Structures are given as structure tokens and as C-alpha cells.
């Protein structure tokens, strides 16, 4: 392959990625403010400024696009958790970094978080429109990684010995999901103001 052809291929790939990103941003805008059944492919195409035919070029259906958004959202959080599990940094250092990076991602993904929340509650007429199992699989993976981190902290003396780790995992996820739900209903305090006290309550020297 010539250099000119390679350059053309790179430019084409960049353009394709930019177009996909634009469509996904349009989808997030719509799905974060309307129910799944209230958003049509025509709405998505109009919001993205493209033809419906082009939309079908990238995703075979509205459900496929929404599943892609779920992957985009949840894989980002899983990546941060896995990074913390794999880190050789001192325990408190990596946990504080995980907290800060998670809060940054949460703020950047505010609308996308709401989309995933809506998805998890939707039951469609077709099996591909039942998004709950997909979201739940990601939650299970998050819970496994959190469990690894919490148990490591307990073994190293940073988490109180009498705490129930499985309860801590569930409380953490319920806390975050509850904040998303409450934020859908109205303006709430930033997550960091609410989450940091919970972090401090869990991650402390053993007593």
C-alpha cells in the first residue's frame, strides 16, 4: 500500500469515527430526555444532521445504537475499576485516584449515565429491546472488581474489619444509582459532596 493510500485510509477512518461520535452524541441528547419508545430513527437522524440511511449504515437498529451507548458508558467505569485492581500503588493512593477519576467521568457522562439508567428499566416488544440484562452484566462485573478492592483494603487494615464487604458493594452501587435517579427528578448536590463522606466511612483505618 502506497503512502498516499495509507494517508487516505487514515483520514477516512478518522472521518468515520467523528461521524459515529456525532451520531452517538445526538442519541445521548435524545435518550436522556425522552423514553426509548418516544425516540424514532427519524428523530435521531434529524438530531445528528444525517440521513436515516446513513444511520442504518452504522447501526442495524435503534436498539443496536442504544446497546452501543450502554457499552460506551459502562466500559469506561469498568476500565477505571480494573486499573485500580491492577495498580501496584499504595492502597490509599490508588483508591483516592479511583474516586477522583470516577467523579470526573461521572460529571463528563452525566447525560449518558441517565440513558443507561433509563435503559435498565425498559422492557421492549422485542428481545433486543430488553436492556436490563446487558446493564446488569456490567453491574455484576463492577461488583466483582469493587469486592476485590474492598477485600484488599480490609486485609491491609484500611477498611474496618467488622464491615460486611458484600453489603458495602451493594450500598456503593445503590448510592450512585440513587443519585442518578434523584438527579433525573430535579437538581441535586454534586455527587462528590455526597460520595466523599461515604468513601471516608468505608475506607479508614481498622478499629
Amino acid at each position: 500500500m502506497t503512502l498516499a493510500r495509507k494517508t487516505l485510509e487514515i483520514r477516512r477512518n478518522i472521518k468515520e469515527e467523528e461521524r459515529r461520535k456525532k451520531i452517538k452524541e445526538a442519541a445521548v441528547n435524545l435518550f436522556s430526555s425522552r423514553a426509548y419508545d418516544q425516540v424514532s430513527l427519524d428523530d435521531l437522524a434529524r438530531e445528528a444532521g444525517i440521513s436515516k440511511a446513513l444511520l442504518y449504515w452504522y447501526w442495524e437498529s435503534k436498539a443496536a445504537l442504544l446497546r452501543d451507548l450502554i457499552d460506551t458508558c459502562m466500559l469506561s467505569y469498568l476500565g477505571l475499576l480494573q486499573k485500580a485492581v491492577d495498580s501496584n500503588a499504595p492502597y490509599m493512593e490508588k483508591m483516592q485516584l479511583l474516586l477522583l477519576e470516577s467523579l470526573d467521568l461521572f460529571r463528563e457522562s452525566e447525560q449518558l449515565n441517565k440513558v443507561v439508567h433509563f435503559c435498565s428499566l425498559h422492557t421492549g416488544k422485542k428481545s433486543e429491546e430488553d436492556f436490563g440484562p446487558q446493564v446488569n452484566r456490567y453491574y455484576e462485573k463492577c461488583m466483582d472488581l469493587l469486592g476485590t478492592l474492598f477485600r484488599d483494603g480490609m486485609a491491609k487494615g484500611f477498611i474496618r474489619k467488622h464491615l460486611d464487604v458484600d453489603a458495602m458493594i451493594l450500598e456503593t452501587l445503590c448510592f450512585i444509582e440513587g443519585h442518578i435517579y434523584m438527579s433525573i427528578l430535579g437538581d441535586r448536590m454534586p455527587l462528590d459532596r455526597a460520595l466523599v463522606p461515604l468513601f471516608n466511612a468505608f475506607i479508614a483505618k481498622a478499629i
Side-chain angles (χ1 to χ4, degrees):
M1 184 182 292
T2 65
L3 179 60
R5 187 174 178 182
K6 287 182 179 179
T7 302
L8 181 62
E9 187 68 24
I10 291 172
R11 289 177 178 173
R12 183 182 294 115
N13 290 339
I14 292 174
K15 184 177 181 180
E16 292 290 310
E17 285 304 312
E18 289 176 345
R19 186 174 288 160
R20 285 177 64 91
K21 181 180 178 182
K22 183 179 180 181
I23 296 170
K24 289 170 77 171
E25 287 174 349
V28 170
N29 288 337
L30 290 178
F31 285 126
S32 63
S33 58
R34 302 188 206 170
Y36 175 81
D37 291 331
Q38 295 176 340
V39 178
S40 67
L41 286 172
D42 287 322
D43 294 330
L44 289 165
R46 188 162 45 249
E47 181 76 10
I50 61 170
S51 67
K52 189 161 68 171
L54 185 58
L55 191 61
Y56 275 120
W57 175 262
Y58 293 108
W59 293 277
E60 62 185 17
S61 65
K62 183 173 67 170
L65 171 55
L66 200 43
R67 289 187 177 278
D68 196 355
L69 293 180
I70 294 172
D71 290 340
T72 297
C73 181
M74 298 304 296
L75 285 172
S76 297
Y77 289 105
L78 276 178
L80 292 182
L81 287 167
Q82 190 65 60
K83 175 184 172 183
V85 168
D86 295 340
S87 174
N88 292 320
Y91 186 77
M92 284 300 295
E93 181 179 316
K94 71 179 181 181
M95 291 301 288
Q96 288 169 350
L97 180 61
L98 172 62
L99 177 63
L100 292 174
E101 290 183 337
S102 297
L103 287 171
D104 285 342
L105 179 59
F106 191 88
R107 284 189 288 267
E108 293 169 5
S109 309
E110 182 178 3
Q111 285 184 294
L112 186 53
N113 295 332
K114 294 178 181 178
V115 171
V116 174
H117 184 91
F118 283 136
C119 289
S120 66
L121 302 175
H122 179 79
T123 301
K125 297 178 181 178
K126 304 176 183 177
S127 59
E128 66 170 358
E129 295 179 331
D130 291 339
F131 306 107
Q134 180 186 2
V135 175
N136 190 54
R137 284 192 294 272
Y138 278 118
Y139 283 155
E140 293 292 339
K141 292 177 182 178
C142 286
M143 292 172 74
D144 287 342
L145 293 172
L146 279 172
T148 299
L149 289 169
F150 288 159
R151 290 184 178 91
D152 183 39
M154 186 172 286
K156 293 177 178 176
F158 291 100
I159 295 179
R160 296 176 176 88
K161 298 291 185 180
H162 66 273
L163 292 178
D164 182 336
V165 173
D166 290 334
M168 288 171 58
I169 296 167
L170 187 59
E171 286 169 14
T172 301
L173 287 183
C174 287
F175 187 95
I176 294 171
E177 281 300 301
H179 186 278
I180 294 173
Y181 175 72
M182 294 294 288
S183 298
I184 291 172
L185 297 178
D187 293 333
R188 306 295 173 188
M189 69 174 68
L191 179 63
D192 52 353
R193 180 181 165 191
L195 187 58
V196 169
L198 182 67
F199 176 85
N200 291 333
F202 284 165
I203 313 299
K205 289 186 177 180
I207 56 173

